[in-house]
Amino acid sequence: MLKKVNLGVLVSGSGSNLQSVIDNIELGKLDAAIKVIICNNPDAYALKRAKKHGIPSVVIDHTKYRNRELFDLKMIEILKSFSVELVVMAGFMKVLTATFLRAFPMKIMNIHPALLPSFQGLHGQSGAFEYGVKFTGCTVHFADEGVDTGPIIIQAVVPVCDDDTVEILQKRILKEEHRIYPQAIQLYAENKLEISGRKVRIRDHKKFEGLPQHNPPLEKF
Ligand code: GAR
């Protein structure tokens, strides 16, 4: 049996990605244990999820800190005290400082609701929707000093349909987020992620066998 990887999950809001990690751990599909959940927003629904599953949670309200550095130092202190090996950003709406990145080098994952490097930043879903792309999706990547720029681990492609609203699209993307995040963490737990510069190679894993997709579908061609 694999050794379980100790996770620290950072959240700011609803925590549905956190929930998918919790559920997959409870189902025995994910060789990980959530040691602590850190939330910067005292009113986040994610805190209720933590409580329901008996997982320690700590609120670190960023508005109470003079600068980002001090806020990050507090997070580092908590994560280290819980022996966290991998930091999982799950809808965590703060940008990490270099101090934090140095404390967990290539041991921080983030999920973004777009196909990076398109539509980085705060409005991944609406950015893609407004732009009029025919496909968008979601990405799990390692965090680096940029915003949504680190080496990509896994992506899921989601079609955009003519009668979509942003809300419908958001839900379609979120459903895939809940699948790819546990997969990325499991690949880490299995020590299958090999980082070389910007590229993440997946050791001893199934290869992509799907066909190119077209939206709208091709008819005669
Ligand atoms: C998710 O869609 C996640 O990809 C996004 O916030 C949502 C959090 O939902 N993250 C970002 O936009 C980061 N730039 P959740 O709290 O229900 O997991």
mmCIF file of all heavy atoms in Angstrom, residues 143-188:
data_model
loop_
_atom_site.group_PDB
_atom_site.id
_atom_site.type_symbol
_atom_site.label_atom_id
_atom_site.label_comp_id
_atom_site.label_asym_id
_atom_site.label_seq_id
_atom_site.Cartn_x
_atom_site.Cartn_y
_atom_site.Cartn_z
ATOM 1 N N ALA A 143 2.155 25.600 -8.740
ATOM 2 C CA ALA A 143 2.223 27.058 -8.614
ATOM 3 C C ALA A 143 3.667 27.515 -8.752
ATOM 4 O O ALA A 143 4.586 26.860 -8.261
ATOM 5 C CB ALA A 143 1.666 27.490 -7.259
ATOM 6 N N ASP A 144 3.842 28.636 -9.453
ATOM 7 C CA ASP A 144 5.148 29.296 -9.474
ATOM 8 C C ASP A 144 4.929 30.774 -9.171
ATOM 9 O O ASP A 144 3.837 31.157 -8.729
ATOM 10 C CB ASP A 144 5.891 29.048 -10.803
ATOM 11 C CG ASP A 144 5.221 29.738 -11.982
ATOM 12 O OD1 ASP A 144 4.210 30.454 -11.784
ATOM 13 O OD2 ASP A 144 5.708 29.565 -13.113
ATOM 14 N N GLU A 145 5.929 31.601 -9.430
ATOM 15 C CA GLU A 145 5.822 33.008 -8.994
ATOM 16 C C GLU A 145 4.816 33.829 -9.809
ATOM 17 O O GLU A 145 4.426 34.910 -9.398
ATOM 18 C CB GLU A 145 7.190 33.702 -8.916
ATOM 19 C CG GLU A 145 8.080 33.651 -10.147
ATOM 20 C CD GLU A 145 8.598 32.248 -10.457
ATOM 21 O OE1 GLU A 145 8.767 31.437 -9.521
ATOM 22 O OE2 GLU A 145 8.795 31.974 -11.645
ATOM 23 N N GLY A 146 4.354 33.314 -10.951
ATOM 24 C CA GLY A 146 3.356 34.044 -11.743
ATOM 25 C C GLY A 146 1.942 33.710 -11.277
ATOM 26 O O GLY A 146 1.737 32.936 -10.343
ATOM 27 N N VAL A 147 0.966 34.323 -11.963
ATOM 28 C CA VAL A 147 -0.435 34.001 -11.655
ATOM 29 C C VAL A 147 -0.917 32.999 -12.700
ATOM 30 O O VAL A 147 -1.006 33.331 -13.881
ATOM 31 C CB VAL A 147 -1.320 35.283 -11.675
ATOM 32 C CG1 VAL A 147 -2.781 34.934 -11.442
ATOM 33 C CG2 VAL A 147 -0.834 36.261 -10.625
ATOM 34 N N ASP A 148 -1.182 31.772 -12.270
ATOM 35 C CA ASP A 148 -1.672 30.697 -13.154
ATOM 36 C C ASP A 148 -0.677 30.376 -14.277
ATOM 37 O O ASP A 148 -1.084 30.148 -15.427
ATOM 38 C CB ASP A 148 -3.037 31.079 -13.764
ATOM 39 C CG ASP A 148 -4.077 31.365 -12.690
ATOM 40 O OD1 ASP A 148 -4.084 30.671 -11.670
ATOM 41 O OD2 ASP A 148 -4.882 32.290 -12.880
ATOM 42 N N THR A 149 0.592 30.375 -13.949
ATOM 43 C CA THR A 149 1.610 30.183 -14.993
ATOM 44 C C THR A 149 2.468 28.925 -14.815
ATOM 45 O O THR A 149 3.285 28.634 -15.677
ATOM 46 C CB THR A 149 2.580 31.386 -15.032
ATOM 47 O OG1 THR A 149 3.077 31.606 -13.708
ATOM 48 C CG2 THR A 149 1.915 32.638 -15.534
ATOM 49 N N GLY A 150 2.330 28.208 -13.722
ATOM 50 C CA GLY A 150 3.266 27.113 -13.433
ATOM 51 C C GLY A 150 3.066 25.888 -14.323
ATOM 52 O O GLY A 150 2.103 25.806 -15.100
ATOM 53 N N PRO A 151 3.994 24.928 -14.242
ATOM 54 C CA PRO A 151 3.935 23.716 -15.070
ATOM 55 C C PRO A 151 2.601 22.960 -14.948
ATOM 56 O O PRO A 151 2.109 22.712 -13.846
ATOM 57 C CB PRO A 151 5.087 22.863 -14.529
ATOM 58 C CG PRO A 151 6.011 23.827 -13.874
ATOM 59 C CD PRO A 151 5.169 24.943 -13.356
ATOM 60 N N ILE A 152 2.053 22.607 -16.108
ATOM 61 C CA ILE A 152 0.716 22.004 -16.172
ATOM 62 C C ILE A 152 0.777 20.491 -15.958
ATOM 63 O O ILE A 152 1.564 19.783 -16.591
ATOM 64 C CB ILE A 152 0.074 22.333 -17.535
ATOM 65 C CG1 ILE A 152 -0.241 23.837 -17.597
ATOM 66 C CG2 ILE A 152 -1.186 21.498 -17.776
ATOM 67 C CD1 ILE A 152 -0.691 24.328 -18.968
ATOM 68 N N ILE A 153 -0.101 20.012 -15.092
ATOM 69 C CA ILE A 153 -0.146 18.577 -14.770
ATOM 70 C C ILE A 153 -1.236 17.873 -15.573
ATOM 71 O O ILE A 153 -1.016 16.811 -16.164
ATOM 72 C CB ILE A 153 -0.411 18.386 -13.253
ATOM 73 C CG1 ILE A 153 0.696 19.060 -12.448
ATOM 74 C CG2 ILE A 153 -0.530 16.899 -12.897
ATOM 75 C CD1 ILE A 153 0.360 19.254 -10.976
ATOM 76 N N ILE A 154 -2.427 18.460 -15.592
ATOM 77 C CA ILE A 154 -3.564 17.804 -16.270
ATOM 78 C C ILE A 154 -4.568 18.873 -16.684
ATOM 79 O O ILE A 154 -4.715 19.885 -15.995
ATOM 80 C CB ILE A 154 -4.208 16.726 -15.345
ATOM 81 C CG1 ILE A 154 -5.334 15.957 -16.041
ATOM 82 C CG2 ILE A 154 -4.702 17.310 -14.038
ATOM 83 C CD1 ILE A 154 -5.792 14.704 -15.282
ATOM 84 N N GLN A 155 -5.225 18.625 -17.808
ATOM 85 C CA GLN A 155 -6.271 19.544 -18.276
ATOM 86 C C GLN A 155 -7.478 18.733 -18.735
ATOM 87 O O GLN A 155 -7.317 17.604 -19.210
ATOM 88 C CB GLN A 155 -5.775 20.398 -19.450
ATOM 89 C CG GLN A 155 -4.634 21.325 -19.067
ATOM 90 C CD GLN A 155 -4.233 22.284 -20.159
ATOM 91 O OE1 GLN A 155 -3.799 21.845 -21.207
ATOM 92 N NE2 GLN A 155 -4.343 23.580 -19.914
ATOM 93 N N ALA A 156 -8.648 19.329 -18.615
ATOM 94 C CA ALA A 156 -9.862 18.737 -19.174
ATOM 95 C C ALA A 156 -10.472 19.752 -20.122
ATOM 96 O O ALA A 156 -10.497 20.953 -19.813
ATOM 97 C CB ALA A 156 -10.854 18.407 -18.069
ATOM 98 N N VAL A 157 -10.967 19.276 -21.252
ATOM 99 C CA VAL A 157 -11.568 20.146 -22.263
ATOM 100 C C VAL A 157 -13.088 20.057 -22.152
ATOM 101 O O VAL A 157 -13.647 18.969 -22.016
ATOM 102 C CB VAL A 157 -11.127 19.706 -23.678
ATOM 103 C CG1 VAL A 157 -11.797 20.556 -24.742
ATOM 104 C CG2 VAL A 157 -9.616 19.805 -23.804
ATOM 105 N N VAL A 158 -13.730 21.220 -22.205
ATOM 106 C CA VAL A 158 -15.181 21.296 -22.056
ATOM 107 C C VAL A 158 -15.715 22.131 -23.225
ATOM 108 O O VAL A 158 -15.176 23.209 -23.498
ATOM 109 C CB VAL A 158 -15.499 21.981 -20.697
ATOM 110 C CG1 VAL A 158 -16.942 22.391 -20.611
ATOM 111 C CG2 VAL A 158 -15.123 21.065 -19.540
ATOM 112 N N PRO A 159 -16.765 21.663 -23.905
ATOM 113 C CA PRO A 159 -17.302 22.463 -25.011
ATOM 114 C C PRO A 159 -18.118 23.652 -24.505
ATOM 115 O O PRO A 159 -18.692 23.604 -23.422
ATOM 116 C CB PRO A 159 -18.218 21.469 -25.745
ATOM 117 C CG PRO A 159 -18.631 20.501 -24.693
ATOM 118 C CD PRO A 159 -17.487 20.393 -23.725
ATOM 119 N N VAL A 160 -18.149 24.697 -25.320
ATOM 120 C CA VAL A 160 -19.039 25.829 -25.039
ATOM 121 C C VAL A 160 -20.150 25.746 -26.075
ATOM 122 O O VAL A 160 -19.878 25.673 -27.279
ATOM 123 C CB VAL A 160 -18.286 27.171 -25.179
ATOM 124 C CG1 VAL A 160 -19.204 28.327 -24.792
ATOM 125 C CG2 VAL A 160 -17.012 27.179 -24.333
ATOM 126 N N CYS A 161 -21.405 25.727 -25.617
ATOM 127 C CA CYS A 161 -22.526 25.556 -26.550
ATOM 128 C C CYS A 161 -23.204 26.902 -26.785
ATOM 129 O O CYS A 161 -23.139 27.802 -25.940
ATOM 130 C CB CYS A 161 -23.531 24.562 -25.984
ATOM 131 S SG CYS A 161 -22.742 22.996 -25.567
ATOM 132 N N ASP A 162 -23.874 27.005 -27.948
ATOM 133 C CA ASP A 162 -24.468 28.280 -28.350
ATOM 134 C C ASP A 162 -25.464 28.824 -27.319
ATOM 135 O O ASP A 162 -25.555 30.018 -27.111
ATOM 136 C CB ASP A 162 -25.197 28.129 -29.692
ATOM 137 C CG ASP A 162 -24.202 28.091 -30.842
ATOM 138 O OD1 ASP A 162 -22.997 28.356 -30.591
ATOM 139 O OD2 ASP A 162 -24.608 27.794 -31.980
ATOM 140 N N ASP A 163 -26.227 27.930 -26.697
ATOM 141 C CA ASP A 163 -27.241 28.447 -25.762
ATOM 142 C C ASP A 163 -26.766 28.424 -24.304
ATOM 143 O O ASP A 163 -27.570 28.522 -23.381
ATOM 144 C CB ASP A 163 -28.567 27.697 -25.932
ATOM 145 C CG ASP A 163 -28.352 26.198 -26.021
ATOM 146 O OD1 ASP A 163 -27.190 25.761 -25.820
ATOM 147 O OD2 ASP A 163 -29.330 25.466 -26.275
ATOM 148 N N ASP A 164 -25.469 28.341 -24.087
ATOM 149 C CA ASP A 164 -24.938 28.391 -22.718
ATOM 150 C C ASP A 164 -25.113 29.773 -22.099
ATOM 151 O O ASP A 164 -25.119 30.778 -22.799
ATOM 152 C CB ASP A 164 -23.426 28.106 -22.721
ATOM 153 C CG ASP A 164 -23.125 26.615 -22.697
ATOM 154 O OD1 ASP A 164 -24.062 25.825 -22.503
ATOM 155 O OD2 ASP A 164 -21.939 26.264 -22.864
ATOM 156 N N THR A 165 -25.200 29.783 -20.778
ATOM 157 C CA THR A 165 -24.982 31.016 -20.010
ATOM 158 C C THR A 165 -23.666 30.792 -19.268
ATOM 159 O O THR A 165 -23.174 29.648 -19.211
ATOM 160 C CB THR A 165 -26.096 31.220 -18.967
ATOM 161 O OG1 THR A 165 -26.092 30.074 -18.094
ATOM 162 C CG2 THR A 165 -27.457 31.355 -19.636
ATOM 163 N N VAL A 166 -23.102 31.843 -18.690
ATOM 164 C CA VAL A 166 -21.850 31.654 -17.930
ATOM 165 C C VAL A 166 -22.073 30.645 -16.814
ATOM 166 O O VAL A 166 -21.196 29.819 -16.529
ATOM 167 C CB VAL A 166 -21.348 32.979 -17.298
ATOM 168 C CG1 VAL A 166 -19.990 32.779 -16.638
ATOM 169 C CG2 VAL A 166 -21.235 34.061 -18.320
ATOM 170 N N GLU A 167 -23.267 30.703 -16.194
ATOM 171 C CA GLU A 167 -23.544 29.804 -15.060
ATOM 172 C C GLU A 167 -23.544 28.346 -15.506
ATOM 173 O O GLU A 167 -23.011 27.477 -14.825
ATOM 174 C CB GLU A 167 -24.901 30.147 -14.407
ATOM 175 C CG GLU A 167 -24.956 31.483 -13.686
ATOM 176 C CD GLU A 167 -24.928 32.699 -14.625
ATOM 177 O OE1 GLU A 167 -25.429 32.598 -15.771
ATOM 178 O OE2 GLU A 167 -24.382 33.743 -14.214
ATOM 179 N N ILE A 168 -24.163 28.084 -16.669
ATOM 180 C CA ILE A 168 -24.206 26.702 -17.180
ATOM 181 C C ILE A 168 -22.776 26.236 -17.471
ATOM 182 O O ILE A 168 -22.370 25.135 -17.100
ATOM 183 C CB ILE A 168 -25.086 26.610 -18.450
ATOM 184 C CG1 ILE A 168 -26.552 26.841 -18.096
ATOM 185 C CG2 ILE A 168 -24.912 25.257 -19.153
ATOM 186 C CD1 ILE A 168 -27.478 26.957 -19.301
ATOM 187 N N LEU A 169 -22.012 27.114 -18.108
ATOM 188 C CA LEU A 169 -20.635 26.762 -18.458
ATOM 189 C C LEU A 169 -19.801 26.505 -17.205
ATOM 190 O O LEU A 169 -19.037 25.534 -17.130
ATOM 191 C CB LEU A 169 -20.025 27.898 -19.290
ATOM 192 C CG LEU A 169 -18.593 27.678 -19.770
ATOM 193 C CD1 LEU A 169 -18.483 26.447 -20.667
ATOM 194 C CD2 LEU A 169 -18.094 28.916 -20.523
ATOM 195 N N GLN A 170 -19.986 27.369 -16.226
ATOM 196 C CA GLN A 170 -19.259 27.241 -14.952
ATOM 197 C C GLN A 170 -19.500 25.862 -14.322
ATOM 198 O O GLN A 170 -18.576 25.203 -13.867
ATOM 199 C CB GLN A 170 -19.794 28.322 -14.024
ATOM 200 C CG GLN A 170 -18.858 28.745 -12.948
ATOM 201 C CD GLN A 170 -19.328 30.089 -12.368
ATOM 202 O OE1 GLN A 170 -20.087 30.835 -12.998
ATOM 203 N NE2 GLN A 170 -18.888 30.389 -11.184
ATOM 204 N N LYS A 171 -20.766 25.441 -14.349
ATOM 205 C CA LYS A 171 -21.114 24.130 -13.771
ATOM 206 C C LYS A 171 -20.452 22.996 -14.556
ATOM 207 O O LYS A 171 -19.981 22.017 -13.981
ATOM 208 C CB LYS A 171 -22.632 23.932 -13.790
ATOM 209 C CG LYS A 171 -23.301 24.648 -12.663
ATOM 210 C CD LYS A 171 -24.722 24.116 -12.427
ATOM 211 C CE LYS A 171 -25.461 25.016 -11.466
ATOM 212 N NZ LYS A 171 -26.719 25.548 -11.975
ATOM 213 N N ARG A 172 -20.459 23.132 -15.897
ATOM 214 C CA ARG A 172 -19.869 22.084 -16.740
ATOM 215 C C ARG A 172 -18.368 21.974 -16.462
ATOM 216 O O ARG A 172 -17.816 20.876 -16.409
ATOM 217 C CB ARG A 172 -20.142 22.409 -18.221
ATOM 218 C CG ARG A 172 -19.886 21.243 -19.152
ATOM 219 C CD ARG A 172 -20.238 21.570 -20.608
ATOM 220 N NE ARG A 172 -21.621 21.896 -20.800
ATOM 221 C CZ ARG A 172 -22.069 22.973 -21.464
ATOM 222 N NH1 ARG A 172 -21.217 23.810 -22.040
ATOM 223 N NH2 ARG A 172 -23.344 23.198 -21.581
ATOM 224 N N ILE A 173 -17.733 23.116 -16.269
ATOM 225 C CA ILE A 173 -16.286 23.108 -15.983
ATOM 226 C C ILE A 173 -16.025 22.516 -14.592
ATOM 227 O O ILE A 173 -15.140 21.674 -14.408
ATOM 228 C CB ILE A 173 -15.698 24.543 -16.066
ATOM 229 C CG1 ILE A 173 -15.804 25.077 -17.495
ATOM 230 C CG2 ILE A 173 -14.249 24.566 -15.606
ATOM 231 C CD1 ILE A 173 -15.482 26.571 -17.640
ATOM 232 N N LEU A 174 -16.825 22.962 -13.628
ATOM 233 C CA LEU A 174 -16.625 22.527 -12.235
ATOM 234 C C LEU A 174 -16.703 21.002 -12.102
ATOM 235 O O LEU A 174 -15.942 20.378 -11.362
ATOM 236 C CB LEU A 174 -17.664 23.208 -11.343
ATOM 237 C CG LEU A 174 -17.346 23.325 -9.848
ATOM 238 C CD1 LEU A 174 -15.993 23.972 -9.587
ATOM 239 C CD2 LEU A 174 -18.429 24.113 -9.133
ATOM 240 N N LYS A 175 -17.636 20.417 -12.856
ATOM 241 C CA LYS A 175 -17.788 18.961 -12.823
ATOM 242 C C LYS A 175 -16.470 18.262 -13.202
ATOM 243 O O LYS A 175 -16.088 17.259 -12.600
ATOM 244 C CB LYS A 175 -18.891 18.592 -13.828
ATOM 245 C CG LYS A 175 -19.557 17.297 -13.535
ATOM 246 C CD LYS A 175 -20.808 17.143 -14.366
ATOM 247 C CE LYS A 175 -21.069 15.676 -14.560
ATOM 248 N NZ LYS A 175 -21.983 15.399 -15.636
ATOM 249 N N GLU A 176 -15.784 18.832 -14.177
ATOM 250 C CA GLU A 176 -14.490 18.250 -14.594
ATOM 251 C C GLU A 176 -13.382 18.587 -13.598
ATOM 252 O O GLU A 176 -12.468 17.790 -13.396
ATOM 253 C CB GLU A 176 -14.119 18.716 -16.008
ATOM 254 C CG GLU A 176 -15.081 18.252 -17.082
ATOM 255 C CD GLU A 176 -15.372 16.759 -17.019
ATOM 256 O OE1 GLU A 176 -14.420 15.961 -16.942
ATOM 257 O OE2 GLU A 176 -16.568 16.393 -17.027
ATOM 258 N N GLU A 177 -13.469 19.766 -12.988
ATOM 259 C CA GLU A 177 -12.485 20.109 -11.950
ATOM 260 C C GLU A 177 -12.487 19.035 -10.865
ATOM 261 O O GLU A 177 -11.438 18.618 -10.374
ATOM 262 C CB GLU A 177 -12.808 21.465 -11.304
ATOM 263 C CG GLU A 177 -12.636 22.650 -12.222
ATOM 264 C CD GLU A 177 -12.819 23.982 -11.489
ATOM 265 O OE1 GLU A 177 -12.438 24.105 -10.322
ATOM 266 O OE2 GLU A 177 -13.370 24.913 -12.108
ATOM 267 N N HIS A 178 -13.708 18.594 -10.520
ATOM 268 C CA HIS A 178 -13.837 17.620 -9.435
ATOM 269 C C HIS A 178 -13.253 16.259 -9.802
ATOM 270 O O HIS A 178 -13.079 15.411 -8.943
ATOM 271 C CB HIS A 178 -15.310 17.478 -9.039
ATOM 272 C CG HIS A 178 -15.900 18.748 -8.526
ATOM 273 N ND1 HIS A 178 -17.245 18.990 -8.464
ATOM 274 C CD2 HIS A 178 -15.295 19.874 -8.060
ATOM 275 C CE1 HIS A 178 -17.454 20.218 -7.975
ATOM 276 N NE2 HIS A 178 -16.289 20.757 -7.731
ATOM 277 N N ARG A 179 -12.987 16.057 -11.076
ATOM 278 C CA ARG A 179 -12.382 14.793 -11.523
ATOM 279 C C ARG A 179 -10.868 14.934 -11.677
ATOM 280 O O ARG A 179 -10.118 14.030 -11.337
ATOM 281 C CB ARG A 179 -13.007 14.358 -12.852
ATOM 282 C CG ARG A 179 -14.518 14.186 -12.738
ATOM 283 C CD ARG A 179 -15.134 13.886 -14.078
ATOM 284 N NE ARG A 179 -14.802 12.557 -14.536
ATOM 285 C CZ ARG A 179 -14.918 12.157 -15.795
ATOM 286 N NH1 ARG A 179 -15.335 13.001 -16.715
ATOM 287 N NH2 ARG A 179 -14.598 10.937 -16.135
ATOM 288 N N ILE A 180 -10.431 16.084 -12.236
ATOM 289 C CA ILE A 180 -8.988 16.164 -12.525
ATOM 290 C C ILE A 180 -8.148 16.486 -11.290
ATOM 291 O O ILE A 180 -6.983 16.089 -11.231
ATOM 292 C CB ILE A 180 -8.641 17.148 -13.685
ATOM 293 C CG1 ILE A 180 -8.986 18.590 -13.364
ATOM 294 C CG2 ILE A 180 -9.284 16.687 -14.985
ATOM 295 C CD1 ILE A 180 -8.453 19.581 -14.420
ATOM 296 N N TYR A 181 -8.744 17.174 -10.294
ATOM 297 C CA TYR A 181 -7.910 17.502 -9.127
ATOM 298 C C TYR A 181 -7.507 16.246 -8.346
ATOM 299 O O TYR A 181 -6.319 16.034 -8.073
ATOM 300 C CB TYR A 181 -8.599 18.543 -8.237
ATOM 301 C CG TYR A 181 -7.629 19.606 -7.696
ATOM 302 C CD1 TYR A 181 -8.081 20.745 -7.050
ATOM 303 C CD2 TYR A 181 -6.241 19.465 -7.841
ATOM 304 C CE1 TYR A 181 -7.203 21.723 -6.584
ATOM 305 C CE2 TYR A 181 -5.361 20.425 -7.374
ATOM 306 C CZ TYR A 181 -5.856 21.551 -6.741
ATOM 307 O OH TYR A 181 -4.976 22.503 -6.277
ATOM 308 N N PRO A 182 -8.479 15.380 -8.028
ATOM 309 C CA PRO A 182 -8.079 14.141 -7.346
ATOM 310 C C PRO A 182 -7.065 13.331 -8.167
ATOM 311 O O PRO A 182 -6.136 12.743 -7.610
ATOM 312 C CB PRO A 182 -9.397 13.372 -7.189
ATOM 313 C CG PRO A 182 -10.443 14.422 -7.232
ATOM 314 C CD PRO A 182 -9.945 15.489 -8.151
ATOM 315 N N GLN A 183 -7.251 13.322 -9.495
ATOM 316 C CA GLN A 183 -6.310 12.566 -10.337
ATOM 317 C C GLN A 183 -4.890 13.152 -10.227
ATOM 318 O O GLN A 183 -3.913 12.412 -10.116
ATOM 319 C CB GLN A 183 -6.775 12.583 -11.797
ATOM 320 C CG GLN A 183 -5.834 11.901 -12.759
ATOM 321 C CD GLN A 183 -5.734 10.392 -12.559
ATOM 322 O OE1 GLN A 183 -6.603 9.648 -12.990
ATOM 323 N NE2 GLN A 183 -4.692 9.950 -11.875
ATOM 324 N N ALA A 184 -4.782 14.474 -10.268
ATOM 325 C CA ALA A 184 -3.455 15.113 -10.170
ATOM 326 C C ALA A 184 -2.805 14.791 -8.824
ATOM 327 O O ALA A 184 -1.606 14.474 -8.757
ATOM 328 C CB ALA A 184 -3.601 16.629 -10.340
ATOM 329 N N ILE A 185 -3.592 14.843 -7.770
ATOM 330 C CA ILE A 185 -3.039 14.576 -6.426
ATOM 331 C C ILE A 185 -2.608 13.114 -6.325
ATOM 332 O O ILE A 185 -1.567 12.785 -5.763
ATOM 333 C CB ILE A 185 -4.076 14.938 -5.328
ATOM 334 C CG1 ILE A 185 -4.384 16.441 -5.383
ATOM 335 C CG2 ILE A 185 -3.568 14.543 -3.949
ATOM 336 C CD1 ILE A 185 -5.612 16.862 -4.580
ATOM 337 N N GLN A 186 -3.417 12.225 -6.927
ATOM 338 C CA GLN A 186 -3.061 10.804 -6.874
ATOM 339 C C GLN A 186 -1.768 10.535 -7.650
ATOM 340 O O GLN A 186 -0.924 9.744 -7.210
ATOM 341 C CB GLN A 186 -4.216 9.952 -7.417
ATOM 342 C CG GLN A 186 -3.975 8.450 -7.381
ATOM 343 C CD GLN A 186 -3.749 7.893 -5.969
ATOM 344 O OE1 GLN A 186 -4.077 8.532 -4.967
ATOM 345 N NE2 GLN A 186 -3.167 6.697 -5.880
ATOM 346 N N LEU A 187 -1.599 11.209 -8.783
ATOM 347 C CA LEU A 187 -0.348 11.052 -9.546
ATOM 348 C C LEU A 187 0.844 11.504 -8.703
ATOM 349 O O LEU A 187 1.911 10.897 -8.732
ATOM 350 C CB LEU A 187 -0.404 11.850 -10.857
ATOM 351 C CG LEU A 187 -1.351 11.290 -11.922
ATOM 352 C CD1 LEU A 187 -1.535 12.295 -13.063
ATOM 353 C CD2 LEU A 187 -0.839 9.958 -12.468
ATOM 354 N N TYR A 188 0.644 12.555 -7.936
ATOM 355 C CA TYR A 188 1.699 13.036 -7.036
ATOM 356 C C TYR A 188 1.963 11.976 -5.959
ATOM 357 O O TYR A 188 3.124 11.641 -5.684
ATOM 358 C CB TYR A 188 1.263 14.352 -6.391
ATOM 359 C CG TYR A 188 2.328 14.981 -5.521
ATOM 360 C CD1 TYR A 188 3.193 15.941 -6.029
ATOM 361 C CD2 TYR A 188 2.481 14.600 -4.187
ATOM 362 C CE1 TYR A 188 4.181 16.511 -5.237
ATOM 363 C CE2 TYR A 188 3.468 15.154 -3.391
ATOM 364 C CZ TYR A 188 4.306 16.109 -3.920
ATOM 365 O OH TYR A 188 5.295 16.656 -3.131
#
